[in-house]
Amino acid sequence: MRKKIIAGNWKMNLTFAEAMALADNLLDENKNIDDVEVVLASPFIFLHPLINRIQSNPNFSIAAQNCSDKIKGAFTGEIAASMLASIGVEHVILGHSERRQLYGETNSMIAAKVDRALENGVFPIFCCGELLAERNNNIHFNVVKKQLEESLFHLTSNQIDECIIAYEPVWAIGTGVTASFEQAQEMHEFIRSTISSKYSKSIAEEISILYGGSVTPANASELFDGDDIDGALVGGASLKEKDFSDIIKAMLTKI
Ligand code: PGA
């Protein structure tokens, strides 16, 4: 069975005290959640203390929200994948639409980041998704296919197997508008079949594909009914302990 994953993307939110309190409450509330992996994607400076905290719960892991496309050197303000690996960070979100739109990340830059992460044993959570105008013009499948081709399809079978994919329609991120169950499942199925054509059916069947974009306790359960929807990448609702725990519970009921 594919791994079921609920990831919280805290983005640039929370103070140190707030972040630790949120993590402690989540760890406390979600003790027996075998078969669901909970990933907390925190700002860089909270990663190390968070890693110490989650040792008590094998179902929790930590993600960075970005890493450099360079190996090391004179790149002021950047964080290398090797640094993440050196403190035990397991995952890194790459290609988030906020990075693409606000910081000019291109598919080829994201491909280099994916390489740096995998070279260091950090598993990418690769985000893809179309803009509203692209969906309205009916080119959403092409857009997502191109993102996969240009940032992931240079990988070997063993490497792509180490990636998690998150489908995040840009129009659904932070807007309160969620993709319908049909829209999400249809795109997840498309992503899986695109991976299957490039690699193999067995590889495609192993890769967890998460949905992201205004996931809340109110819509999570329906989304998780999708055969190809293996979890969620949650932004806003991941900052609220009860909402995030309820999303984890919604997944637990499907297993
Ligand atoms: P949202 O963010 O849940 O607040 O829409 C999702 C994301 O950006 O990963």
Side-chain angles (χ1 to χ4, degrees):
M1 198 177 69
R2 280 192 295 275
K3 212 189 262 180
K4 303 297 181 192
I5 299 167
I6 306 296
N9 178 7
W10 292 351
K11 308 192 182 183
M12 198 175 74
N13 291 297
L14 308 173
T15 62
F16 179 66
E18 288 166 348
M20 296 305 118
L22 177 57
D24 286 342
N25 290 337
L26 287 170
L27 286 159
D28 213 42
E29 178 67 22
N30 298 283
K31 285 201 179 101
N32 299 307
I33 53 160
D34 283 350
D35 303 323
V36 176
E37 179 177 357
V38 176
V39 182
L40 303 179
S42 100
F44 288 124
I45 59 166
F46 306 150
L47 291 170
H48 193 251
L50 275 175
I51 283 165
N52 292 335
R53 275 194 158 68
I54 61 149
Q55 298 306 326
S56 59
N57 190 328
N59 295 107
F60 275 64
S61 63
I62 297 298
Q65 298 171 13
N66 184 24
C67 73
S68 175
D69 55 336
K70 307 291 194 297
I71 295 173
K72 65 183 244 184
F75 303 104
T76 302
E78 290 291 285
I79 303 282
S82 59
M83 297 171 184
L84 299 177
S86 73
I87 60 163
V89 174
E90 282 177 60
H91 301 282
V92 59
I93 295 176
L94 294 174
H96 191 280
S97 71
E98 286 150 19
R99 301 289 325 165
R100 294 175 188 267
Q101 291 195 290
L102 304 173
Y103 298 96
E105 292 194 9
T106 60
N107 288 343
S108 68
M109 217 183 277
I110 297 159
K113 292 180 180 220
V114 167
D115 288 343
R116 296 299 85 75
L118 289 171
E119 281 159 15
N120 288 284
V122 180
F123 306 132
I125 300 173
F126 172 80
C127 302
C128 55
E130 80 286 356
L131 303 170
L132 184 57
E134 292 166 336
R135 179 164 282 267
N136 290 341
N137 287 328
N138 212 23
I139 56 167
H140 45 296
F141 291 114
N142 305 11
V143 168
V144 169
K145 186 165 185 229
K146 192 166 153 64
Q147 290 170 337
L148 295 169
E149 284 173 349
E150 296 186 0
S151 298
L152 288 186
F153 282 5
H154 63 288
L155 299 175
T156 65
S157 304
N158 286 344
Q159 287 176 315
I160 194 138
D161 213 21
E162 297 189 319
C163 297
I164 295 165
I165 294 176
Y167 168 56
E168 299 207 307
V170 180
W171 46 272
I173 296 178
T175 57
V177 180
T178 322
S180 67
F181 168 79
E182 290 78 16
Q183 288 170 324
Q185 168 54 29
E186 174 185 57
M187 183 60 88
H188 282 229
E189 197 179 339
F190 172 77
I191 292 170
R192 203 176 302 288
S193 74
T194 305
I195 296 169
S196 177
S197 309
K198 165 74 184 170
Y199 293 92
S200 69
K201 188 163 167 38
S202 65
I203 298 227
E205 286 298 325
E206 278 170 24
I207 295 181
S208 299
I209 307 177
L210 316 183
Y211 169 79
S214 298
V215 176
T216 65
N219 56 37
S221 180
E222 187 188 4
L223 287 163
F224 297 160
D225 279 336
D227 285 344
D228 292 289
I229 301 177
D230 305 307
L233 179 53
V234 185
S238 74
L239 298 168
K240 299 180 199 131
E241 187 270 310
K242 182 165 186 326
D243 283 4
F244 194 58
S245 294
D246 284 349
I247 293 169
I248 296 168
K249 287 192 184 85
M251 177 52 88
L252 283 167
T253 64
K254 309 289 173 182
I255 292 172

